[in-house]
């Protein structure tokens, strides 16, 4: 375990955690897209995979601005969230019910990321690292937009799930 002795050290640690989380997510999103039956939801997962690859790149740029090596740290929270996503992926019930489950799992991921990026951005702001703040803000906006999009999609998906049943 490393000893964190400063706010800068804490920012680097947050970025390493996010770098791990985003990398883990790039491996999970294709499976979520494949498991979704609703076409708009499938597309939204595929689009967010594309965005997530951009989030990884932004984090690499942030490390480079801070003159720190881009290292990942296994994000235990994301590991758990992805494990729950996997449960939704493997759910064998009606497609609409699985879709509703996938949206729930994906929104948990987004909320975690929004919290983590918000924390990292606040640290970067205090440290006067404004280029890093700008990068984190861009990603934060995309995570929030994804969350809103998922809420929008959940309206019809949940309605379909309500009327789905297996005999
Ligand atoms: Fe992200």
């Amino acid at each position: 375990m490393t000893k964190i002795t400063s706010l800068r050290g804490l920012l680097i640690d947050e970025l390493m955690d996010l770098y791990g989380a985003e990398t883990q997510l790039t491996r999970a999103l294709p499976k979520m897209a494949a498991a979704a039956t609703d076409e708009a939801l499938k597309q939204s997962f595929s689009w967010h995979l594309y965005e997530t690859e951009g989030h990884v790149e932004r984090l690499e740029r942030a490390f480079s601005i801070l003159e720190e090596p881009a290292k990942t740290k296994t994000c235990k929270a994301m590991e758990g969230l992805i494990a729950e996503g996997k449960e939704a992926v493997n759910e064998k019930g009606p497609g609409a019910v699985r879709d509703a489950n996938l949206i729930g799992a994906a929104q948990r991921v987004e909320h975690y990321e929004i919290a983590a990026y918000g924390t990292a951005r606040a640290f970067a702001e205090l440290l006067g690292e404004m280029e890093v703040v700008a990068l984190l803000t861009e990603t934060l906006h995309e995570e929030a937009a994804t969350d809103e999009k998922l809420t929008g999609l959940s309206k019809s998906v949940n309605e379909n799930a309500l009327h789905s049943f297996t005999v």
Side-chain angles (χ1 to χ4, degrees):
M1 196 192 271
T2 52
K3 197 168 158 194
I4 300 169
T5 55
S6 64
L7 192 68
R8 191 177 197 278
L10 200 51
L11 170 63
I12 305 299
D13 191 74
E14 289 282 354
L15 294 178
M16 278 166 43
D17 188 273
L18 276 165
Y19 193 39
E22 295 283 24
T23 308
Q24 285 161 255
L25 194 55
T26 58
R27 292 193 288 266
L29 278 167
K31 292 173 195 150
M32 293 173 81
T37 53
D38 182 272
E39 203 44 48
L41 182 61
K42 208 182 249 303
Q43 276 175 23
S44 140
F45 285 145
S46 298
W47 173 252
H48 197 54
L49 170 63
Y50 170 74
E51 282 185 328
T52 300
E53 284 161 356
H55 300 172
V56 170
E57 278 170 30
R58 280 191 199 122
L59 288 166
E60 286 166 352
R61 272 156 59 200
F63 282 115
S64 138
I65 290 165
L66 297 166
E67 296 178 349
E68 292 286 337
K71 279 197 238 157
T72 59
K73 176 176 152 185
T74 302
C75 176
K76 294 190 190 82
M78 187 60 90
E79 233 172 27
L81 292 167
I82 287 175
E84 288 193 4
K86 211 173 264 175
E87 281 176 25
V89 163
N90 295 327
E91 193 51 62
K92 298 287 177 242
V97 174
R98 184 169 60 246
D99 286 349
N101 202 353
L102 284 167
I103 290 178
Q107 286 196 288
R108 280 176 175 80
V109 167
E110 292 313 312
H111 283 235
Y112 173 77
E113 288 188 306
I114 288 166
Y117 275 106
T119 300
R121 185 175 67 170
F123 293 164
E125 244 165 20
L126 265 176
L127 292 161
E129 296 288 354
M130 299 323 279
E131 274 184 88
V132 174
V133 169
L135 287 168
L136 299 177
T137 300
E138 274 183 80
T139 299
L140 203 43
H141 287 161
E142 286 176 7
E143 307 291 18
T146 300
D147 181 48
E148 273 175 40
K149 195 157 127 191
L150 288 168
T151 297
L153 288 172
S154 76
K155 305 275 188 276
S156 60
V157 166
N158 291 351
E159 194 66 34
N160 290 340
L162 178 66
H163 301 293
S164 295
F165 57 90
T166 43
V167 284

